[in-house]
Amino acid sequence: MEKQPILVTDRLLLRSFDLADAPEVQRLAGDYAVAATTLLPYPYPAGLAGIWIASLREGIDRGDVAAFAVTLAPAGRLIGGVRLQIDGENARGELGFWVGRPFWGRGYATEAARAVIGYGFSVLNLHRIYAMHFSRNPASGRVMEKCGMVHEGRFREHVRKWGVFEDVDLRGILREYTTETLRVTPP
Ligand SMILES: CC(C)(COP(=O)(O)OP(=O)(O)OC[C@H]1O[C@@H](n2cnc3c(N)ncnc32)[C@H](O)[C@@H]1OP(=O)(O)O)[C@@H](O)C(=O)NCCC(=O)NCCS
């Protein structure tokens, strides 16, 4: 059963991922530039996109994941994804997002992440949303900043990515600081 609504922003429509999205996810997330600043593997193995989409659906059913395919309205072209990993006990969610390289630099990640943060606070009733990004990925930090997330710290050499220990920055936003208005429509 579909548990997630559709989130509508000025230019985007965020909906649940479908297995039919797998080839496009494979193509966009399989880009070296996307893998380089995430924990995604490169090359992106055949079949992984379908496994990932199925795992999101399981997480949504369990209630510990919210995940949205980001599509361009009105045509519906898939351009990326936003996910919240939910810790119900602590009413907090970890935000992650990616946008396919052809669509960078147009504010889409910010627009999509804001919508999901609004969803996390107003529908999922979260208290805190946080996110981490490689310190060498300022674009991601900027997206978080534009969403109202404040810098909370840097974990030195926290992640080993392709054999290199990487610094990671932590940013977060508390429910009381969000002013997002949310447009939700049924699936
Ligand atoms: C990071 C990412 C999501 C940004 O997507 P996007 O749609 O281009 O983001 P937006 O257009 O909403 O905002 C990007 C901001 O970063 C800024 N930016 C881009 N490159 C930058 C750089 N090298 N240094 C500083 N700021 C930078 C842009 O100028 C923009 O800020 P502005 O609106 O104040 O000008 C996208 O590049 C991506 O998916 N990268 C690969 C996956 C990834 O890193 N995901 C995040 C993991 S934590």
Side-chain angles (χ1 to χ4, degrees):
M1 203 186 84
E2 188 56 78
K3 286 187 174 176
Q4 295 197 143
I6 291 167
L7 309 183
V8 178
T9 70
D10 288 343
R11 297 175 298 168
L12 306 171
L13 189 146
L14 280 66
R15 56 157 174 84
S16 296
F17 276 102
D18 187 272
L19 278 179
D21 295 319
E24 197 58 359
V25 168
Q26 171 99 28
R27 199 176 70 78
L28 294 172
D31 188 329
Y32 177 86
V34 173
T37 51
T38 59
L39 301 180
L40 288 173
Y42 185 84
Y44 195 94
L48 180 62
I51 293 167
W52 179 69
I53 290 168
S55 77
L56 293 179
R57 300 198 73 90
E58 286 165 19
I60 291 165
D61 287 343
R62 281 195 307 270
D64 55 22
V65 169
F68 292 92
V70 180
T71 70
L72 289 181
R77 180 161 187 190
L78 178 75
I79 63 162
V82 183
R83 183 178 78 145
L84 276 174
Q85 185 69 43
I86 299 159
D87 174 344
E89 176 67 21
N90 295 298
R92 75 176 178 232
E94 180 173 3
L95 181 77
F97 48 81
W98 62 272
V99 166
R101 183 157 49 164
F103 309 100
W104 288 5
R106 298 184 218 171
Y108 290 143
T110 306
E111 196 168 317
R114 274 188 185 146
V116 175
I117 290 170
Y119 175 73
F121 286 130
S122 62
V123 178
L124 302 178
N125 220 13
L126 297 178
H127 175 71
R128 161 178 167 78
I129 293 175
Y130 68 101
M132 296 169 109
H133 65 91
F134 287 139
S135 305
R136 64 173 166 79
N137 183 13
S140 180
R142 179 75 187 124
V143 169
M144 294 171 196
E145 199 173 81
K146 287 192 289 179
C147 291
M149 303 176 91
V150 301
H151 189 252
E152 297 179 339
R154 174 165 294 184
F155 298 103
R156 293 174 303 153
E157 304 193 0
H158 186 63
V159 172
R160 179 154 43 187
K161 171 75 180 179
W162 296 337
V164 177
F165 290 106
E166 300 261 11
D167 291 354
V168 169
D169 282 19
L170 172 70
R171 289 175 201 264
I173 181 169
L174 302 181
R175 180 193 186 86
E176 63 197 276
Y177 292 120
T178 185
T179 55
E180 285 309 312
T181 52
L182 183 68
R183 281 175 277 163
V184 176
T185 61

